Amino acid sequence: MKLSIKNQFDSENVSMRFLEQNDICLHSHDFFEFVYVVSGSILHTLNGTNRRLERGDYFFIDIGDEHCYSAKRYGNANIINCLFLPTFIDGSLVGVKKFSNLMSNYLIKLGNAPLKSKPSGVIYHDNDGYVGRIYEKMLFEFNAKQTGYEEIIRCYLIEIIILTVRKVLESSTGNKEIRISDKIIAYIDNHYSENVTLEYLAEKYNYSESYLSRIFKDETGQSFVKYMQKVRIEHSCRLLANTDKSVYDIMCGVGYRDIKFFTKIFKESIGTTPAEFRKRIKNDHIN
């Protein structure tokens, strides 16, 4: 069974509720879900893995993941449920289906440490109750619907995402030393609109160009050129989604000078041209 957006959302890109969770059959959905267990205990199955949920547990479910609840063994639980579309985080995230992809959004900067495990599908525990208090604030804002409530919920949601990924990073990385690739990535993030070359960075950080190229790919899993393209395309998506700037101005703003090349790289990355992407964003907002 698949739960659709139309059945769960009204006019917003986010929905929250406090509920007593009983049995529910195996299902998936075309939106993201955050769940926080307020009290009680219940058996939860996610992608074939069973886990007993207890007070203070929380988890994140990717779009398309299958899960269900069973109250027969442990009883039911009270939960706070947060459902949201990727475009709730940012309009440029149309089509994103994985929690890991949300991490690379320009609003969420978490460095470049590699993750040893999938952040979604993991049961985390709120040891000091801090995450639970954030959930309660989000639920209050959603129910009160005062001016700016969606922006406040978005900020709280990003905070939970960062706290969740921090747990993953702390459990998967023991070495806190700053790597060469971290320096390069930090520089690219601040200068992506400029003519940044591997030759320039090699001279700046006193490495040979060939060594820097190899170590960057070893540490990040992608080439310097591919990473540079990724950053520029992500920023162009943000500008296409959130501004009225022309495609040409956006192209120049993210560091490209050739409209044919920019369109080619954009289509290879996103699957559509910049103009088609903007049109899709506007149609989604209308619908």
Side-chain angles (χ1 to χ4, degrees):
M1 179 176 71
K2 185 174 184 178
L3 301 182
S4 67
I5 295 172
K6 292 181 180 179
N7 294 332
Q8 302 295 323
F9 296 86
D10 294 322
S11 59
E12 303 121 325
N13 287 328
V14 63
S15 177
M16 294 198 67
R17 55 187 176 175
F18 176 88
L19 58 93
E20 183 179 11
Q21 185 63 66
N22 298 302
D23 289 332
I24 185 170
C25 64
L26 190 67
H27 65 281
S28 64
H29 27 68
D30 49 9
F31 45 82
F32 289 110
E33 180 176 5
F34 253 132
V35 176
Y36 186 93
V37 181
V38 178
S39 63
S41 180
I42 196 168
L43 182 66
H44 180 250
T45 302
L46 176 61
N47 294 331
T49 301
N50 297 325
R51 173 70 185 266
R52 178 179 180 176
L53 300 178
E54 298 180 322
R55 178 182 178 182
D57 287 341
Y58 65 98
F59 57 95
F60 181 95
I61 301 175
D62 280 338
I63 292 175
D65 280 354
E66 293 187 327
H67 73 125
C68 65
Y69 294 93
S70 175
K72 295 178 182 178
R73 185 172 180 180
Y74 303 116
N76 50 33
N78 292 316
I79 68 170
I80 297 177
N81 181 296
C82 177
L83 315 176
F84 66 98
L85 303 176
T87 48
F88 178 67
I89 298 294
D90 184 66
S92 66
L93 296 177
V94 173
V96 168
K97 295 184 178 180
K98 300 296 181 183
F99 179 60
S100 55
N101 296 126
L102 291 178
M103 292 167 49
S104 65
N105 179 256
Y106 80 107
L107 291 174
I108 307 171
K109 293 297 182 183
L110 294 165
N112 189 48
L115 298 179
K116 301 296 184 182
S117 59
K118 181 182 176 184
S120 55
V122 177
I123 307 300
Y124 304 96
H125 189 71
D126 184 20
N127 293 316
D128 59 4
Y130 183 76
V131 173
R133 291 191 289 274
I134 297 176
Y135 265 98
E136 291 174 356
K137 292 177 181 178
M138 291 168 64
L139 184 62
F140 172 82
E141 289 292 337
F142 183 79
N143 289 333
K145 288 184 170 53
Q146 296 179 347
T147 302
Y149 76 95
E150 286 185 300
E151 294 301 319
I152 292 178
I153 293 174
R154 180 183 295 108
C155 291
Y156 283 141
L157 184 56
I158 289 174
E159 182 177 2
I160 292 177
I161 290 174
I162 293 174
L163 291 173
T164 301
V165 175
R166 180 187 291 173
K167 285 179 177 287
V168 178
L169 293 176
E170 289 175 348
S171 64
S172 63
T173 58
N175 185 8
K176 302 300 182 181
E177 182 181 353
I178 298 177
R179 303 174 303 165
I180 297 172
S181 61
D182 293 324
K183 296 178 181 179
I184 302 303
I185 285 172
Y187 190 88
I188 291 173
D189 286 345
N190 290 313
H191 301 274
Y192 63 88
S193 62
E194 302 171 12
N195 184 28
V196 181
T197 65
L198 194 61
E199 179 184 6
Y200 169 79
L201 292 172
E203 183 177 348
K204 177 179 175 64
Y205 293 109
N206 298 314
Y207 295 107
S208 71
E209 190 174 339
S210 60
Y211 173 77
L212 194 61
S213 175
R214 178 174 59 81
I215 201 69
F216 186 88
K217 188 167 186 178
D218 287 345
E219 291 182 353
T220 67
Q222 56 190 317
S223 69
F224 168 80
V225 171
K226 287 295 184 183
Y227 183 79
M228 176 66 82
Q229 290 177 350
K230 172 180 174 291
V231 171
R232 285 174 166 171
I233 295 303
E234 285 178 350
H235 279 276
S236 65
C237 285
R238 174 176 63 87
L239 292 169
L240 287 164
N242 299 304
T243 75
D244 293 324
K245 291 182 177 181
S246 69
V247 172
Y248 180 83
D249 286 342
I250 289 173
M251 175 198 75
C252 294
V254 300
Y256 289 110
R257 297 296 177 264
D258 185 326
I259 190 66
K260 289 184 178 179
F261 181 72
F262 172 63
T263 302
K264 176 178 177 292
I265 294 300
F266 191 97
K267 191 168 184 178
E268 287 176 354
S269 301
I270 306 300
T272 66
T273 67
E276 290 168 344
F277 177 82
R278 171 171 274 170
K279 184 177 180 180
R280 180 182 175 187
I281 291 287
K282 290 183 177 179
N283 288 339
D284 285 347
H285 284 316
I286 292 173
N287 296 331

